[in-house]
Amino acid sequence: GDVPRRWKPENRLAIHEEQASYTPFFTASPTVLIGYRDLCSLLGVSRRHLQRMVLRDELPKPRSMGKRRLFVLAEVMTAIASLPPNDN
């Protein structure tokens, strides 16, 4: 009978070779959006602290997507990298 193909690195390579002819309709990397709850969890801060950071221009303003407010993750990470180090 047919034996199921187990995952092996060489099988992954074969799958990628099969998909090599596929061309996505966009070439730029997709923009990752993240909401307040997930960003608070990622940074380990409260929602209020995150809002204060936005008001102090330490973080970029979120985008409006209907009723939701979403941050562009790349912009947030760039802003965080530019914050001064904590010398305590």
Side-chain angles (χ1 to χ4, degrees):
D2 291 333
V3 177
R5 192 167 96 176
R6 294 180 185 254
W7 186 88
K8 296 178 185 173
E10 57 270 15
N11 291 345
R12 185 180 63 158
L13 181 61
I15 291 169
H16 285 280
E17 289 171 354
E18 292 169 7
Q19 296 172 349
S21 63
Y22 172 73
T23 305
F25 70 93
F26 62 89
T27 55
S29 61
T31 301
V32 177
L33 300 173
I34 186 169
Y36 269 102
R37 181 183 305 142
D38 293 331
L39 187 55
C40 289
S41 294
L42 180 68
L43 300 179
V45 298
S46 69
R47 182 182 177 107
R48 183 66 191 129
H49 185 73
L50 193 62
Q51 290 170 332
R52 275 191 235 114
M53 292 179 77
V54 171
L55 288 173
R56 292 188 303 241
D57 289 328
E58 294 174 350
L59 290 178
K61 293 180 180 178
R63 307 293 204 279
S64 296
M65 301 283 285
K67 292 182 180 182
R68 297 192 66 198
R69 304 295 175 260
L70 300 172
F71 292 89
V72 176
L73 185 57
E75 291 176 359
V76 171
M77 300 314 282
T78 301
I80 290 171
S82 67
L83 291 174
N86 187 358
D87 292 332
N88 292 353

